C-alpha cells in the first residue's frame, strides 16, 4: 500500500526523514469509533479492524521509534474504543496524543492512553456516563453490566492521567452542563487543570515532545549497553 492509499484507508502515515532522523508513526482517530457494527456510509469513522493490526505492526517494527496519535472524535463503540486505548497504552514505543476539535465520550480513554497528552486551546472533551438506547431484557443485569463498563472506563482514565476517581465521577454526573443529559464539557485549558490532559499545545509541541521522548529512550539504551544505570 502506498502512502496515499494508507492515509485514505487507515488514516495512518509514516513520518520519515525528519530533522532529527526519527521514524514516527502517525495515527488518526477521527469521527465515530466503529466497532462490531458498521457505521452509516455518510459517517466518518475510524475502524477498529484497521487500527488494531496497525498498532501491532508498530510494536513489532524496530524501525518505528515513536507514535503520534491525533484525535477528533465524538466517541462511538465503547468496547472497540477501550481495546484501542489498551493497545496504545501497552506499546513499548514512546507515544504522544493530540486532541484536535474534540475527544468525546470513549475518546477520553483514547486521549489519555498515550504516554503524554496535548489538547489545542479550542479542543473539547465531553465526560459522561455510559449510555444505551433500545429496550432492555433483564433490566437489573443490563444496568449492572453498564455500571461495570463505566467502572472500566473510569479506572482506565484515572490510571493514565492525574485526575482522581472521585473528581472524574463528579464531572460525569454533573446535571447542569449538558442539555437533556448529565456530564461535563471541558475546553482545552480546563481539561489540563482537571488533570485529564497533560498540556495545552498543538502539532509542533506534540512532535517536539515525542522527539524528546525518543531521544531519552536512545540515551537509556546506550547507558544500558555500557552498564550504566
Amino acid at each position: 500500500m502506498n502512502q496515499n492509499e494508507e492515509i485514505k484507508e487507515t488514516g495512518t502515515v509514516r513520518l520519515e526523514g525528519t530533522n532529527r532522523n526519527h521514524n514516527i508513526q502517525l495515527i488518526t482517530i477521527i469521527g465515530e469509533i466503529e466497532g462490531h457494527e458498521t457505521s452509516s456510509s455518510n459517517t466518518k469513522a475510524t475502524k477498529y479492524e484497521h487500527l488494531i493490526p496497525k498498532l501491532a505492526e508498530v510494536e513489532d517494527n524496530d524501525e518505528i521509534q515513536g507514535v503520534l496519535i491525533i484525535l477528533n472524535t465524538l466517541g462511538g463503540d465503547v468496547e472497540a474504543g477501550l481495546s484501542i486505548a489498551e493497545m496504545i497504552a501497552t506499546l513499548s514505543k514512546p507515544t504522544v496524543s493530540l486532541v484536535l476539535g474534540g475527544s468525546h465520550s470513549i475518546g477520553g480513554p483514547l486521549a489519555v492512553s498515550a504516554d503524554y497528552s496535548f489538547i489545542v486551546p479550542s479542543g473539547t472533551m465531553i465526560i459522561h456516563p455510559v449510555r444505551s438506547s433500545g429496550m432492555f431484557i433483564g433490566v437489573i443485569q443490563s444496568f449492572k453490566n453498564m455500571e461495570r463498563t463505566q467502572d472500566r472506563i473510569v479506572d482506565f482514565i484515572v490510571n493514565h492521567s492525574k485526575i482522581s476517581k472521585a473528581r472524574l465521577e463528579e464531572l460525569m454526573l454533573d446535571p447542569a452542563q449538558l442539555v437533556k443529559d448529565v456530564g461535563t464539557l471541558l475546553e482545552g485549558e480546563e481539561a489540563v487543570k482537571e488533570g485529564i490532559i497533560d498540556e495545552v499545545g498543538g502539532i509542533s509541541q506534540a512532535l517536539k515532545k515525542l522527539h524528546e521522548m525518543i531521544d531519552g529512550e536512545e540515551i537509556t539504551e546506550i547507558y544500558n549497553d555500557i552498564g550504566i544505570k
Side-chain angles (χ1 to χ4, degrees):
M1 185 184 296
N2 64 38
Q3 190 178 80
N4 289 337
E5 288 175 340
E6 186 179 10
I7 294 172
K8 180 180 178 181
E9 294 298 322
T10 67
T12 66
V13 68
R14 192 85 62 83
L15 304 179
E16 299 175 282
T18 65
N19 57 358
R20 298 198 192 186
N21 294 319
H22 290 157
N23 197 328
I24 293 170
Q25 180 70 51
L26 170 66
I27 291 175
T28 59
I29 299 176
I30 293 173
E32 183 178 341
I33 310 300
E34 186 180 280
H36 300 297
E37 296 183 6
T38 304
S39 302
S40 164
S41 59
N42 296 323
T43 302
K44 184 74 71 176
T46 293
K47 296 181 181 294
Y48 164 85
E49 68 269 25
H50 285 171
L51 276 193
I52 295 298
K54 173 57 67 175
L55 290 166
E57 178 192 354
V58 166
E59 178 61 29
D60 199 46
N61 190 333
D62 290 337
E63 293 182 357
I64 299 174
Q65 298 168 283
V67 185
L68 176 64
I69 304 109
I70 294 183
L71 301 108
N72 187 2
T73 176
L74 295 175
D77 188 287
V78 170
E79 295 296 337
L82 274 177
S83 296
I84 296 168
E86 289 283 8
M87 285 282 285
I88 294 170
T90 54
L91 289 173
S92 63
K93 317 287 177 74
T95 54
V96 170
S97 65
L98 171 60
V99 176
L100 294 172
S103 190
H104 302 167
S105 191
I106 197 61
L110 288 163
V112 304
S113 63
D115 298 323
Y116 200 87
S117 57
F118 287 88
I119 186 170
V120 295
S122 61
T124 58
M125 301 185 75
I126 292 180
I127 312 296
H128 64 71
V130 173
R131 295 174 298 198
S132 181
S133 59
M135 184 179 295
F136 285 121
I137 299 175
V139 176
I140 294 176
Q141 291 87 340
S142 298
F143 178 73
K144 286 183 176 178
N145 284 337
M146 288 179 67
E147 272 193 324
R148 292 179 67 179
T149 299
Q150 183 168 312
D151 287 342
R152 289 161 59 204
I153 293 171
V154 168
D155 288 344
F156 187 92
I157 294 175
V158 169
N159 290 334
H160 293 86
S161 69
K162 301 181 183 72
I163 193 170
S164 70
K165 184 173 183 177
R167 179 55 178 162
L168 181 59
E169 290 178 338
E170 182 182 353
L171 294 174
M172 276 186 163
L173 299 174
D174 188 341
Q177 286 206 35
L178 305 181
V179 178
K180 298 182 179 179
D181 200 359
V182 294
T184 301
L185 186 148
L186 300 171
E187 295 182 356
E189 190 65 46
E190 294 171 319
V192 174
K193 287 180 179 178
E194 292 289 354
I196 298 175
I197 299 296
D198 290 311
E199 189 174 339
V200 173
I203 186 66
S204 61
Q205 289 87 354
L207 277 170
K208 179 181 178 183
K209 180 66 176 181
L210 186 53
H211 284 304
E212 290 173 353
M213 293 167 69
I214 294 170
D215 286 337
E217 290 276 320
E218 291 174 342
I219 292 171
T220 299
E221 287 178 7
I222 292 171
Y223 282 175
N224 289 338
D225 288 342
I226 61 177
I228 299 176
K229 295 182 179 180

